[in-house]
Amino acid sequence: MSVVNGGRPSEAKVVFYNDPRIRSLFFQLVLLALIVALFWFAYDNTVANLKKRNIAQGFGFWNVEAGFDISQTLISYSAASSYGRAFWVGLLNTLLVSGVSIVLATILGVLIGILRLSKNWLIANLATVYVEIFRNVPLLLILYFWYRGVLGLLPEPRNSIIFPGHILLNTRGLLTPRPVLGDDFIYPFIAFVVLVLGSIGLAWWAGRVQERTGIRPKTGWLSFGLIVIVPSLIFIVMGAPLSFDIPVQGRFNASGGMSLAPEFVSMVIGLTTYTAAFIAENVRAGILAVSKGQTEASQSLGLSHAQTIRLVIMPQALRVIVPLLNSEYLSLTKNSSLGVSIGYPDLVSVFTGTVLNQTGQAVEMVSVTMLVYLTLSLLTSAFMNWFNRRVALVER
Amino acid sequence: MTTSAEVHFVRTHFNEQSPPPMRTSGIVHWLQENLFSSVLNSVVTLLILFGLYKIVPGLVDTLILNAVWVANDSKACVADIVGHPVGVCWGFVAAHWDYFVFGQYPETLRWRPELFFALEVIGLAWLLVQRIPRKDLGMIYFFIVFPIVGFCLLSGSETLGIPTVQTHYWGGFLVSIVIGTVGIVVSVPLGILLALGRRSHMPVARSSSVVMIEFIRGVPLITVLFMANVMFPLFVPEGWRPDSLLRVLVGVALFFSAYMAETVRGGLQAIPRGQYEAAQALGLGYWQMMIKIILPQALKIVIPGIVNNFIGLLKDTTLVAIVNIFDFLKVIEASLNDPVWRTSGMPFAGYLFAAIVYFILCYGMARYSMSVERRLATDNRH
């Protein structure tokens, strides 16, 4: 054996280049030097290149007049507004299309996910066909398909397709009646908000009573009456202070009403149909993860089918579904950047597209855009993690 | 011992046997069980069948029966000119087939991309079909030999006497496959390195890996492509002028490395601690331990995840069209702008064709990944 002198192995002399600590320190220094060198190389070249091409640096452009129009603006904006204003317009458009699509995709996705587990062979298979088609086709293609393939076939304004409820569909987009709120509309609205809060309180009280006595007071119909009937009565008593501005079909264009640009409609339909397929798979996985014994146990306790789903299956399935949903929402938000391909004025299209072309300040534009998406990702993650903690298994 | 007095009840006669269930198998039973199990289900089934009856014949008419299969220009696909209802204009696809596959790659040299496709298929089959032996050689072939040979084939090389073809002549399906291939060939090794870095005990290696992975996963691919397209030329000395396809390739490869890293990390985390300790007890160094013990097991577990990443990669290669690379989608768009082919129904045909191609590729990979998952599930059963 090598331990000749009776020394303990830990005291054995190691040549310094075989010492794991020194090795690790050495590798890290090399790595650090490489990273610093890479960044220095890029920085040095960038400064030199920018000087040679006469491109300004810094954020001086932020308050400069933009000089271009944006087709969809949530806040007031004109060609005379600043680049900074254009940034906020783009960001709000990104948030709008992501928010609307997240809500719709969740509804559609949960529905399809549940339908995939239907006992009816036809329903289950149709849902599967939907999921497989939309999961395996690029999103960009789906957007093109809706925007150029389907919405491109829409008629001119004078031949608009008319849906019941004065909704018009033509090449200019989707036109719906715009609600015009009267001055007195505020009263039924306040009543509605107060009564919704009241109903939540009522449900909380019912829960307390149930915990104490084991019998839950029936509050469902009372809440329904309070929320729906009372505001409606106030609304009628006030003389129905709500009218609608109805879109009118003209020869070349339709006027009045509220219009949704075809780009926006295509983005929402595309993002929704695509993401719903992924959400459906997550929902299905979550429900399948709850073992059959849970259903049987809850049935043997005498819970009804609806109670089984609400009180036993869903709380457990949500633990699987929520983290998965989190990543779907994140990718939907990032995918909304594809708006640039069909001319939807989102952040990437406005900022990395038009503003970059006008100012040529690539570094600033791309960095700002990336930072915004990073922040959005972190915020969405934080919110979903908070929600996840709420539904997570509480262990002792 | 029990005596008869303790027995309280002894059954003296049997109940009449119940009749057997009407049907437990056969088509009628299947229909009852799956389509008409309740009144509500029956109504829904009938409604769906009615809907299919209304939709499917029209769909078959549009896609196959009334479709135009041969056309020289868009006139052959306009109902008013031809005089009968016209479905999808597949003739548009047929007329552009070569352009869709090769872009503007010189016609006389198209054997080169064809050979490239063949070599790619060989490599993929070697790695993915379980029955083919010597996966180690397959790895060397796909990740080292094939990229070099493929590059020489497509781009040409003066020293080997193969005429050069500039990348702006490349196009169509070829470019999509090149981007996808480079994405795989770079992102797998780089992803493994990043994953090892993220699990390393060295603070510098760990933090730089984490920052890179989380940064890339937090931004959309399109911004990375914009960065590669407009910022990358600024990062290098002015004389270099990186090729526009190369810039995009760098962006795509880096982007997918981050996702690959997270997949591989999942595999590394699934390897029990005992494997690491056993390797160390045998006296193996870090790299020997990783290459001989940990990675072979970890990578095997994450094959389905890696294949799913490939599906995402292939779908996302379409985004390069936005930064003006003539990939499969962009050449279809370019053909749609051809005045000879400009009619309202044409985009439908073009995009539908692209959708079918992507669907076949992605669905095929998805089925493969599921089959691997099933095989792995049985492997682990004792």
Side-chain angles (χ1 to χ4, degrees):
Chain A
M1 295 302 279
S2 62
V3 192
V4 180
N5 303 332
R8 293 200 305 273
S10 63
E11 284 175 5
K13 272 273 177 255
V14 182
V15 197
F16 75 93
Y17 55 79
N18 271 342
D19 187 332
R21 267 173 306 172
I22 293 182
R23 276 192 167 202
S24 138
L25 203 65
F26 172 73
F27 281 130
Q28 295 192 62
L29 281 177
V30 170
L31 185 63
L32 199 65
L34 276 176
I35 294 174
V36 170
L38 192 69
F39 273 92
W40 175 251
F41 176 75
Y43 174 75
D44 197 43
N45 283 318
T46 308
V47 171
N49 282 328
L50 289 179
K51 205 169 276 174
K52 211 168 284 176
R53 295 183 197 182
N54 265 330
I55 297 174
Q57 287 181 51
F59 288 86
F61 68 90
W62 198 262
N63 293 319
V64 175
E65 187 182 312
F68 62 90
D69 268 319
I70 299 179
S71 59
Q72 177 188 315
T73 55
L74 291 183
I75 50 177
S76 68
Y77 174 87
S78 72
S81 305
S82 67
Y83 284 128
R85 191 85 178 163
F87 166 82
W88 290 112
V89 171
L91 178 55
L92 284 175
N93 282 342
T94 291
L95 292 179
L96 177 74
V97 81
S98 310
V100 172
S101 304
I102 281 177
V103 172
L104 293 179
T106 309
I107 296 171
L108 187 64
V110 170
L111 185 70
I112 292 172
I114 292 172
L115 289 185
R116 274 202 76 177
L117 294 169
S118 163
K119 278 198 185 128
N120 188 319
W121 184 86
L122 264 179
I123 297 180
N125 276 280
L126 281 180
T128 308
V129 167
Y130 174 90
V131 168
E132 292 299 351
I133 287 180
F134 280 91
R135 272 205 316 175
N136 289 307
V137 170
L139 173 60
L140 190 61
L141 203 52
I142 294 174
L143 289 178
Y144 281 166
F145 179 80
W146 289 115
Y147 184 62
R148 294 186 198 158
V150 177
L151 295 191
L153 297 177
L154 288 179
E156 292 293 312
R158 64 183 146 189
N159 300 324
S160 301
I161 303 171
I162 301 174
F163 291 104
H166 298 286
I167 296 172
L168 302 182
L169 191 62
N170 57 42
T171 47
R172 303 291 172 103
L174 185 71
L175 290 102
T176 61
R178 183 164 54 90
V180 181
L181 307 181
D183 293 336
D184 294 336
F185 186 76
I186 191 77
Y187 300 111
F189 181 72
I190 290 175
F192 178 73
V193 171
V194 168
L195 291 169
V196 165
L197 291 176
S199 304
I200 294 172
L202 201 63
W204 179 77
W205 170 78
R208 289 288 298 270
V209 171
Q210 186 183 19
E211 273 175 24
R212 211 169 51 238
T213 63
I215 300 164
R216 190 180 177 90
K218 297 229 178 294
T219 56
W221 284 106
L222 182 60
S223 302
F224 175 78
L226 284 178
I227 292 176
V228 174
I229 297 173
V230 177
S232 307
L233 281 178
I234 299 178
F235 180 74
I236 293 167
V237 169
M238 282 300 192
L242 175 72
S243 57
F244 286 98
D245 180 14
I246 293 166
V248 186
Q249 179 177 340
R251 193 167 161 69
F252 297 107
N253 205 349
S255 55
M258 192 163 59
S259 79
L260 299 173
E263 290 82 18
F264 178 77
V265 176
S266 315
M267 280 301 287
V268 169
I269 299 178
L271 286 173
T272 302
T273 47
Y274 180 77
T275 316
F278 290 87
I279 292 181
E281 277 304 89
N282 296 340
V283 170
R284 173 167 169 267
I287 294 176
L288 284 180
V290 181
S291 76
K292 212 176 151 78
Q294 298 284 330
T295 317
E296 290 164 353
S298 90
Q299 279 168 353
S300 68
L301 284 175
L303 271 65
S304 72
H305 183 67
Q307 279 177 323
T308 303
I309 290 181
R310 190 165 57 89
L311 299 172
V312 178
I313 309 281
M314 264 335 215
Q316 299 185 67
L318 274 180
R319 273 177 215 144
V320 178
I321 296 172
V322 167
L324 297 173
L325 274 189
N326 177 15
S327 61
E328 289 313 328
Y329 291 166
L330 281 179
S331 55
L332 188 149
T333 311
K334 286 185 278 176
N335 282 336
S336 71
S337 60
L338 290 187
V340 65
S341 64
I342 59 171
Y344 176 72
D346 76 324
L347 179 67
V348 170
S349 163
V350 168
F351 216 58
T352 327
T354 318
V355 178
L356 172 59
N357 280 342
Q358 290 194 2
T359 61
Q361 287 182 256
V363 180
E364 286 84 353
M365 302 306 155
V366 176
S367 314
V368 167
T369 313
M370 282 183 155
L371 269 182
V372 168
Y373 278 105
L374 272 180
T375 317
L376 286 182
S377 293
L378 290 177
L379 286 180
T380 315
S381 277
F383 174 75
M384 292 306 283
N385 282 340
W386 168 81
F387 187 67
N388 194 23
R389 269 201 304 280
R390 283 196 47 137
V391 298
L393 185 63
V394 182
E395 282 178 295
R396 273 161 293 179
Chain B
M1 274 273 117
T2 46
T3 61
S4 59
E6 288 173 28
V7 179
H8 299 292
F9 173 76
V10 175
R11 192 161 196 166
T12 53
H13 69 278
F14 290 99
N15 276 359
E16 246 178 82
Q17 276 189 354
S18 325
M22 288 294 277
R23 296 175 192 88
T24 51
S25 62
I27 188 159
V28 180
H29 169 75
W30 185 90
L31 285 175
Q32 260 184 355
E33 188 88 324
N34 291 302
L35 295 180
F36 302 101
S37 58
S38 67
V39 179
L40 182 67
N41 252 338
S42 309
V43 173
V44 172
T45 302
L46 289 177
L47 278 178
I48 293 178
L49 284 178
F50 181 72
L52 288 177
Y53 166 74
K54 281 280 173 194
I55 295 170
V56 171
L59 216 57
V60 173
D61 271 352
T62 320
L63 293 180
I64 300 168
L65 298 180
N66 283 340
V68 181
W69 296 88
V70 184
N72 289 325
D73 51 32
S74 60
K75 288 200 191 81
C77 299
V78 178
D80 292 344
I81 299 174
V82 194
H84 58 80
V86 169
V88 180
C89 191
W90 295 122
F92 166 73
V93 174
H96 291 89
W97 185 265
D98 279 356
Y99 183 54
F100 285 176
V101 178
F102 301 108
Q104 292 186 313
Y105 208 90
E107 259 174 65
T108 49
L109 299 176
R110 283 192 181 157
W111 61 272
R112 281 158 50 174
E114 276 164 8
L115 187 57
F116 170 83
F117 286 140
L119 290 177
E120 165 116 33
V121 170
I122 292 174
L124 286 177
W126 198 343
L127 286 181
L128 297 182
V129 179
Q130 214 205 351
R131 244 174 296 161
I132 303 178
R134 294 308 299 267
K135 297 289 176 209
D136 49 344
L137 285 183
M139 297 270 268
I140 293 172
Y141 169 79
F142 190 74
F143 286 99
I144 299 169
V145 179
F146 167 64
I148 297 170
V149 173
F151 176 77
C152 293
L153 258 183
L154 290 180
S155 174
S157 128
E158 293 299 334
T159 46
L160 291 177
I162 310 173
T164 354
V165 180
Q166 299 283 323
T167 56
H168 59 255
Y169 290 116
W170 306 12
F173 192 64
L174 172 65
V175 160
S176 294
I177 292 299
V178 165
I179 296 173
T181 309
V182 172
I184 297 173
V185 168
V186 177
S187 73
V188 169
L190 199 55
I192 293 175
L193 276 184
L194 281 172
L196 290 179
R198 190 167 187 167
R199 284 175 60 79
S200 151
H201 296 297
M202 302 185 210
V204 176
R206 194 176 53 233
S207 51
S208 51
S209 305
V210 169
V211 167
M212 177 160 165
I213 293 172
E214 293 305 327
F215 174 76
I216 290 180
R217 277 160 42 93
V219 298
L221 174 58
I222 188 69
T223 58
V224 175
L225 289 179
F226 270 119
M227 179 167 147
N229 210 24
V230 295
M231 275 166 80
F232 187 48
L234 293 175
F235 289 161
V236 294
E238 221 198 352
W240 288 17
R241 287 182 197 284
D243 182 89
S244 63
L245 183 62
L246 177 72
R247 286 182 244 164
V248 165
L249 286 177
V250 171
V252 169
L254 283 180
F255 187 79
F256 279 96
S257 299
Y259 285 84
M260 204 61 86
E262 285 301 272
T263 308
V264 173
R265 186 165 73 111
L268 289 176
Q269 279 174 346
I271 305 297
R273 228 186 134 63
Q275 296 288 328
Y276 291 87
E277 288 165 350
Q280 281 162 351
L282 286 174
L284 297 183
Y286 179 80
W287 290 107
Q288 275 184 316
M289 170 176 81
M290 283 302 166
I291 292 171
K292 292 189 171 150
I293 311 281
I294 307 298
L295 281 177
Q297 302 182 66
L299 289 181
K300 190 183 153 204
I301 305 176
V302 294
I303 288 176
I306 293 178
V307 174
N308 287 342
N309 274 353
F310 290 169
I311 297 176
L313 170 62
L314 190 70
K315 287 195 293 179
D316 281 353
T317 55
T318 50
L319 265 64
V320 300
I322 296 175
V323 288
N324 275 325
I325 298 291
F326 273 74
D327 78 323
F328 188 45
L329 207 53
K330 188 84 179 174
V331 292
I332 292 179
E333 248 179 277
S335 327
L336 290 172
N337 289 332
D338 184 347
V340 183
W341 288 100
R342 243 178 167 163
T343 45
S344 59
M346 224 52 83
F348 191 80
Y351 294 134
L352 192 61
F353 171 66
I356 292 171
V357 170
Y358 278 109
F359 178 80
I360 292 171
L361 291 176
C362 296
Y363 187 67
M365 285 202 281
R367 298 303 301 192
Y368 172 80
S369 128
M370 278 199 279
S371 78
V372 175
E373 242 166 275
R374 232 170 297 142
R375 203 178 65 216
L376 289 176
T378 51
D379 272 2
N380 290 337
R381 211 175 284 158
H382 292 292

